[in-house]
Amino acid sequence: MAFVPHSSSVGQRWRLFCLSLVLAVTAALLGAPAATAEVQHPRQQWMRESTAGLFLHWGMFTAPRHTDCATWEHDVTAGGWSPDYWVDEARKLGASYIVLATFHSRLGYARPWPSKIPGSCSTDRDFLGELVNAGKAKGIKVMLYMTDDPQWHNEVAGVRTLDSDAYSAYKGEKVDLTTREGFGRFSYDQFFEVMENYPDLAGFWIDNDNEYWESHQLYEQIRAKRPSWLLTNNNEDTPIMDTVSNEQKTGMTPAYDYPSAAFTPMPRISEGDYKLPTSGDWWYDGKDHPVDFRQSTGRYITNAGSSMKSLMAETAMVNGRFPPSQQAYNDFMAGWTAPIRSSMEGTEGGGYMYGGMQPGFWNDGAHGVITVGPGAVTQYVHVVTRPRTDMVRLRDNGYRATRVTDVRTGKDVAFSQSGGYLTILDIADWDPYDTVFKVETDGRQHSYYPQKSLRAAASSAADGHPGGAVVDGSDGNYWDSDGRLPASVTIDLGNLRRATSLAVNQREWSPTHARSTFGRPEDSARIKDYAVSASDDGRHWRTVRAGALPSARGVQLIDIGEQKARYLKLDVRNTWAGPQAPDFFGRLRIDEIKVAYGAPVSGSAQVPLEAESRRNDRDGAVRASACGACSGSARLVGFGGGSRNSVTFHDVTAAEAGNYRLQFDHTAGAAASLSVRVNGAAAIDVPVPAGNPDVPGSTAVSVPLTAGANTVEVFSTASRGPGLDRIVVGPLPPASYVPKTTMTVEPHGLQWVGAGQQSVQVTAELRLDADDALDGVRLAPKAPAGWTVEGGPATASSLRLGQTLKARWTLLSPPGADVTPTTVPVTAEFLTLGTPHTVTQNVGIRPRPADRVFMREAEDSRNRLGTAGLTGCSPCSGGEKVRNIGGSAAADVLFPDVTVDRAGTYPLFIDYTVNGDRSFLVSVDGGAPVEAAVSGIGNSTPQTTSVPVTLTAGSHTIRVYNDRKSAPDLDRLSLGQP
């Protein structure tokens, strides 16, 4: 059915008839309500088989900027533009598709195709059609970018990129393209024209939603007219879309670990959309911006390791060619990916629903991902950040390795496997960006109980997501604790059985690290503090393991030692999410829990510095003891009483003299200590925390070694010392390395105070988010000149993963004077392997202007942000603002405790930023809202408006929101004199 525009009332009725027909056809085609699309559908197969796409930015504003469409088209053609060049460059990147972004708000809303619909630049030459045909000839799909946003129509002074008059004449009625509704109508027409004229297009990449599209069932009509086309949406998971694209996520650790910012669980298709040029107005300014090879290749690999597609954004020049830096990267990728193509094509991310070993942080600073072939029999270990030593050690998740080869060289590599770990040894051929090992396995059929033999029940569960979902063998079903924590799930093994570990696959529905991007507060809904208990009868329980799991994607392994039980219970005490992320706070979802009854042993090589090795000298009562969870399946026990019961390692070598990291893998049921003496020097005491006596933990210290061979003697001065599995020696982390922590200081946001002496309550919490222990921790504010602090520093001898240090203080300003602009630093000091580090957050305090009776930042920690969130804004007051207000009742900002000392009508001043026309709604104490309609020219230009509010004497709550439409970004509220 062709799209035929009409403007008369008859035409209106015709459109309604067509719409009803289209919706009927849609329902018939999809076999389901039109509002819901399939997570998996045959039309998606080509995208699922893809590794990457090229996000091509190019338009009328591509430098040198053109303001006349015909001139731009002439210069494009005269410059020698060729669609085959773009297709060939995409293939160099390993891309299977191109997203052409020209109808873009920052590129002049250019349409490089002939169009009968006036309103923005449209060319006579059919560049889009030529690209689609060139791609089809070489197996490259083409998708078309469509924007929802008219706000940049006046970005260039004196240039009209949206022609409302021409479009209005075409429609036969007045339409303002600079409004969201008017632009929605204009762009709505584009969809249908493109669908009619380009049947070989692969679909639309849609930059967020427009209300007009949604109210006119655009997506349902696309499904009906082009059922084979894909729909992608940017930064939100819209049910009818095939793909969720995660645009420009930053701030991760490591910086290339793009999947840690994703929020959509498999098997939904997800893209990581990132720019290759690393600076400036890269999408159009024509400059040769550098490409960070390290970060870009890291993103490419880690995305593949999470079954995400890498959508790499580049910008072509007017003639279609790429600037030299981008061209060089494309050329590099063509050669660099060729030897490892087998590990990327036809594979899925390992450690998730497709099986495979555990991705993430490995030994000695290593980080990487796993890709797996069908059934995870063949797996690929991608070492993106190499360890500081020449071996890689990772959790095997029960897969027994039979052979390991270096994919780039084809050489066999020595390996050892025991205790739940695969260790790849003596690695010499390190690639600077991704060293890849092919691991051939014979599966894990002898390590885990079949899921169908288990039963499970939970302490609480949301409708449709019971505890039994964790053992049903389907990642499509999951347990949801219904927002209740603590929560527990109990697994029934059927009878008394051996159990050694749990493999927990949590729902990958939230980011794994705390950050704010695009104004959304995001945090990890992953398990933090947990305990595992065992029982023979389901009534009497014994705790077999307790601790914290990292905030990380992929399977998490919990060793519980050698247990014989019928029931195992996982108690989840809390998650990593904080209250600033209400969508995730207190929420728990688990896909699957598998129960292991053993660990595979394979490989002919020996892991260096095993405690039980015959190369070591044992004295006194020290002896070997079986330990299924230990490296080499054994450890040494019998320590205690001093150096008469000891083990001495003679082959601890160092290339040069200096300080090194010495790690002890130990077992201890109760807190104890080890002592280490290097080359006969004074002993160093190493505290060992309590744990499961059959499960190794790790503690590291800094020790001096000489060049060549060194002796390391280990003993314990405790009456009964811990067991020793092995020691590990490697370089210290660089001095710049600081273990990842989260420090929360309240109040957050500038504090505006009145006249006279002031008292400010400050609280702080430091949380360790990494495995590296912190020693000698001290947390305290530093009083500015004339100020005093009530309350002493908070201290801890050490912090381990997930542990926190909290404190509260009262700050008093100088008496007899008004507050002057003041910044109070709150600092955490600690040692990591003997190296001192500090983490600081500031509390800013400012005198309130004399003409204001109240003033508070939108980002102030006293406010409730709902699903809105903080984002940086350097020109704004305090350097932050609240974004993503409006569009739903939950996306609001609530200002409690707005206090005035007398009744009256006050001017409420609203500091905001906006691009275009939007409105706030303001409600006092739940009363009828007042609208504050505003207009602006940029999201980085703060402005002020005001509305009157009537207040009684006392405390009030002010709500800023817009239930139906997007509101401006909010910087600050203040009340003037009544």
Side-chain angles (χ1 to χ4, degrees), residues 383-650:
V383 187
V384 184
T385 296
R386 62 159 292 183
R388 292 182 293 273
T389 56
D390 285 331
M391 71 177 188
V392 173
R393 189 169 188 259
L394 66 155
R395 293 304 304 255
D396 59 35
N397 199 10
Y399 291 90
R400 182 180 179 274
T402 58
R403 184 185 183 191
V404 178
T405 54
D406 185 318
V407 174
R408 292 186 185 276
T409 66
K411 298 177 182 177
D412 283 341
V413 183
F415 70 95
S416 176
Q417 188 176 11
S418 61
Y421 287 85
L422 171 68
T423 304
I424 304 173
L425 296 158
D426 303 325
I427 304 169
D429 299 309
W430 291 103
D431 184 84
Y433 303 122
D434 182 27
T435 305
V436 189
F437 299 100
K438 180 180 179 181
V439 180
E440 299 172 53
T441 80
D442 59 9
R444 61 178 181 189
Q445 61 269 27
H446 303 301
S447 299
Y448 284 90
Y449 290 113
Q451 293 296 87
K452 63 183 179 181
S453 71
L454 309 178
R455 299 290 182 269
S459 60
S460 59
D463 290 343
H465 301 287
V470 304
V471 294
D472 67 357
S474 170
D475 290 277
N477 303 323
Y478 58 91
W479 167 43
D480 186 323
S481 71
D482 200 23
R484 301 179 189 179
L485 288 178
S488 64
V489 61
T490 300
I491 298 175
D492 182 354
L493 303 181
N495 49 54
L496 285 175
R497 286 180 165 184
R498 182 172 180 247
T500 57
S501 65
L502 303 181
V504 183
N505 276 91
Q506 300 171 73
R507 193 75 174 160
E508 303 290 345
W509 68 293
S510 73
T512 57
H513 66 103
R515 63 186 190 90
S516 292
T517 300
F518 287 94
R520 292 185 175 91
E522 297 172 328
D523 207 343
S524 174
R526 304 314 195 279
I527 297 169
K528 181 174 171 283
D529 297 311
Y530 74 90
V532 178
S533 303
S535 172
D536 298 340
D537 56 11
R539 297 188 302 273
H540 304 89
W541 295 90
R542 59 189 183 275
T543 300
V544 296
R545 186 75 190 274
L549 290 179
S551 175
R553 288 172 59 86
V555 62
Q556 299 301 311
L557 285 303
I558 302 175
D559 293 313
I560 59 175
E562 296 285 338
Q563 306 298 327
K564 191 169 185 180
R566 173 170 178 173
Y567 300 95
L568 297 173
K569 182 171 62 173
L570 173 64
D571 288 293
V572 179
R573 297 169 179 168
N574 50 48
T575 65
W576 287 90
Q580 82 281 9
D583 285 349
F584 306 124
F585 182 53
R587 305 283 299 278
L588 173 67
R589 296 176 181 175
I590 298 179
D591 278 332
E592 290 289 305
I593 300 178
K594 293 180 171 64
V595 180
Y597 56 86
V601 176
S602 68
S604 58
Q606 185 179 47
V607 176
L609 302 179
E610 293 280 7
E612 70 274 14
S613 172
R614 296 182 180 276
R615 299 177 182 177
N616 305 329
D617 290 338
R618 305 176 200 166
D619 289 328
V622 171
R623 64 195 183 278
S625 173
C627 174
C630 293
S631 179
S633 302
R635 62 186 161 182
L636 293 182
V637 297
F639 294 97
S643 59
R644 68 179 184 274
N645 299 311
S646 65
V647 60
T648 300
F649 299 79
H650 294 283

Side-chain angles (χ1 to χ4, degrees), residues 96-135:
S96 302
Y97 62 104
I98 294 172
V99 178
L100 181 61
T102 58
F103 188 65
H104 187 289
S105 56
R106 306 299 296 275
L107 292 169
Y109 301 97
R111 293 173 293 162
W113 66 85
S115 176
K116 296 179 180 179
I117 305 168
S120 70
C121 169
S122 175
T123 61
D124 291 328
R125 181 177 175 182
D126 193 357
F127 298 100
L128 174 61
E130 292 181 40
L131 179 62
V132 170
N133 291 336

Side-chain angles (χ1 to χ4, degrees), residues 149-329:
D149 186 5
Q151 65 177 310
W152 298 101
H153 64 91
N154 58 355
E155 181 177 19
V156 179
V159 177
R160 184 173 63 171
T161 55
L162 295 177
D163 191 341
S164 298
D165 293 339
Y167 183 70
S168 296
Y170 168 77
K171 297 295 285 187
E173 57 184 305
K174 183 67 174 177
V175 182
D176 185 354
L177 300 190
T178 68
T179 65
R180 287 192 63 80
E181 180 177 6
F183 186 80
R185 294 184 65 180
F186 171 60
S187 50
Y188 177 89
D189 288 355
Q190 312 301 317
F191 282 98
F192 288 91
E193 183 179 60
V194 167
M195 282 192 289
E196 183 66 26
N197 294 338
Y198 302 97
D200 289 329
L201 202 67
F204 293 113
W205 197 99
I206 299 170
D207 199 352
N208 298 310
D209 291 317
N210 183 284
E211 296 86 347
Y212 185 89
W213 302 346
E214 294 174 316
S215 65
H216 286 71
Q217 289 79 44
L218 170 64
Y219 307 137
E220 290 83 356
Q221 296 186 71
I222 295 172
R223 284 278 178 258
K225 189 171 181 63
R226 295 295 182 200
S228 66
W229 286 18
L230 295 191
L231 294 175
T232 297
N233 205 359
N234 187 20
N235 284 318
E236 65 178 55
D237 192 349
T238 305
I240 199 170
M241 301 290 181
D242 297 283
T243 307
V244 183
S245 195
N246 301 274
E247 182 184 19
Q248 280 308 322
K249 307 302 184 185
T250 58
M252 294 77 76
T253 302
Y256 58 74
D257 187 14
Y258 214 89
S260 65
F263 53 85
T264 306
M266 303 173 193
R268 194 114 165 98
I269 305 176
S270 185
E271 287 177 333
D273 164 19
Y274 55 91
K275 61 184 181 182
L276 294 182
T278 53
S279 61
D281 296 331
W282 58 273
W283 60 90
Y284 70 85
D285 68 5
K287 296 180 181 178
D288 185 24
H289 297 289
V291 176
D292 186 332
F293 280 38
R294 170 63 173 158
Q295 180 156 292
S296 298
T297 54
R299 287 171 166 175
Y300 184 87
I301 298 298
T302 53
N303 285 344
S306 292
S307 295
M308 288 177 63
K309 314 306 173 187
S310 287
L311 184 56
M312 294 169 278
E314 294 193 327
T315 176
M317 297 179 287
V318 170
N319 64 359
R321 308 288 296 187
F322 292 109
S325 295
Q326 294 173 51
Q327 182 69 66
Y329 181 77

